[in-house]
Amino acid sequence: MLKSLFNWKVLLNLVVAIGVFVGLVWLTFRWLEYHTNHGQEIPVPNVVNKSIHDAVKILDDTGLEYEVDSANYDPKYRPFQVLQIYPAPGSRVKDGRTVRLRVNPRTWAQIAVPDVINKYSGLAFQRLDQVGLKIGDTIYEPSIQKDALLRILYKGNAVNPGTRLPRFSVIDVVVGSGPMRNISIPNVVGLSVKEARAVIAKSMFEVGLVEHEDGSKDESDIIYYQDPASGDVRDQGMQIDLWASKRTPAELRAKVEQLNAMYRMKVDTTLPPVRYEEVHSEPVYDAPVVPPPAPKKETPKPEVPKTEAPKTQTTAAKPAASATDKPKTSATNGTHTAGTAAKPANSITTQHPAQNPKAKKVVVE
């Protein structure tokens, strides 16, 4: 067996097989290098902060492919500005490699307007804020739906739920302010039921009972009676009952008078005349009730010491047959002097021959 193994023919075949294998491997790697452009690498250009149009032109000139991916809108950057590139700038890639560009979009992403029509304004505002819509002006409009959101306006035009708007768009809302008071009832007699419904809805009233004469529900029947009557004042939202027929109101005069007797009852609101009669009677006034006086509290008065004046004893002498005597008074105490003259007893003075009057003593004690 060893002899046959070292035979020159066997060795030759083995060398030929090894040569063929090495040749195939070499050819394979050469083919791969040619097919994959091995050793031919291109540096990735830096296109960050450039516009997407300039970045695409640079990548085309370099021989690189590109993919554009728009990120969330950021108002700090310009629209269509390249924010990021992958692979990173300066990396070496082969010719024809695809690079990915992350670009700032032109504006915010669009969102759908939520269905908040006829909803309470507080909840509607909260829902609009959650999806990213900003509320501008709030317009109040008369409506029986008080505090309900009636319409959404974008740039002056009404938008329906589901309409796509840019995020953070400013919208205006119309909110109901409630029904108006004392509004005149419109006249719908002579109109068809369909036309009457439109007129009543336009005046913000409700259609109540609709009674057809023949029992049908034909909207083309003519209104020949309504309650309340036209011209009456009611608050918006009140119901208006209608009577309809295929005949004209002139042909149903008897029916109208019958309904007037039921719904237009005249109430006599006049007052009887007032008679004024004169009544001769003296007014009687009740004596005012005077409350009893409150008991007074007696306060003791301080006693003032009495001072006794000195008594003066005067001894009057009998008048003589002379003129009026002038008695003299002299003070004997030395500290007080009495200067009071005593009047004579006789008030009639008689003339006598001049005589020297006798002096009388007056003692003052």
Side-chain angles (χ1 to χ4, degrees), residues 289-300:
V289 179
V290 179
K296 297 183 179 179
K297 295 182 179 180
E298 295 182 358
T299 55

Side-chain angles (χ1 to χ4, degrees), residues 116-121 139-151 174-180 204 206 236-237:
V116 292
I117 303 299
N118 298 329
K119 301 292 177 48
Y120 175 64
S121 58
I139 305 170
Y140 289 93
E141 181 179 282
S143 174
I144 59 175
Q145 295 177 315
K146 187 176 182 180
D147 295 331
L149 194 144
L150 304 179
R151 292 189 303 278
V174 180
V175 179
S177 61
M180 297 180 66
M204 297 184 183
E206 296 290 335
Q236 287 181 338

Side-chain angles (χ1 to χ4, degrees), residues 88-244:
S91 302
R92 301 186 67 85
V93 296
K94 294 179 182 179
D95 187 15
R97 170 70 183 272
T98 301
V99 297
R100 182 174 296 175
L101 301 177
R102 185 167 175 265
V103 181
N104 189 38
R106 180 177 58 183
T107 183
W108 298 100
Q110 291 188 344
I111 56 174
V113 177
D115 186 8
V116 292
I117 303 299
N118 298 329
K119 301 292 177 48
Y120 175 64
S121 58
L123 299 177
F125 291 170
Q126 183 178 2
R127 178 60 179 155
L128 293 173
D129 184 68
Q130 288 177 352
V131 300
L133 295 175
K134 299 299 181 181
I135 298 175
D137 296 334
T138 301
I139 305 170
Y140 289 93
E141 181 179 282
S143 174
I144 59 175
Q145 295 177 315
K146 187 176 182 180
D147 295 331
L149 194 144
L150 304 179
R151 292 189 303 278
I152 298 176
L153 305 178
Y154 178 67
K155 295 183 178 180
N157 299 321
V159 294
N160 297 323
T163 304
R164 303 191 66 83
L165 298 176
R167 192 175 184 181
F168 301 114
S169 297
V170 179
I171 59 175
D172 301 329
V173 293
V174 180
V175 179
S177 61
M180 297 180 66
R181 304 286 182 179
N182 299 329
I183 304 300
S184 179
I185 299 292
N187 185 13
V188 295
V189 174
L191 302 178
S192 64
V193 176
K194 184 177 181 180
E195 294 173 345
R197 291 182 184 273
V199 172
I200 292 174
K202 185 177 181 181
S203 301
M204 297 184 183
F205 289 98
E206 296 290 335
V207 177
L209 172 67
V210 180
E211 183 176 344
H212 295 265
E213 185 186 15
D214 55 359
S216 64
K217 295 184 179 180
D218 190 358
E219 293 290 315
S220 63
D221 287 356
I222 303 301
I223 304 297
Y224 66 90
Y225 194 80
Q226 69 177 76
D227 182 63
S230 62
D232 292 351
V233 290
R234 296 289 189 276
D235 296 341
Q236 287 181 338
M238 298 292 291
Q239 291 186 349
I240 301 177
D241 297 334
L242 304 175
W243 283 259

Side-chain angles (χ1 to χ4, degrees), residues 26-42 63-64 92-97:
W26 181 80
L27 289 175
T28 301
F29 278 101
R30 291 292 297 175
W31 178 81
L32 289 174
E33 290 180 359
Y34 175 79
H35 183 72
T36 58
N37 297 326
H38 181 68
Q40 300 178 4
E41 295 180 345
I42 302 173
L64 297 175
R92 301 186 67 85
V93 296
K94 294 179 182 179
D95 187 15
R97 170 70 183 272

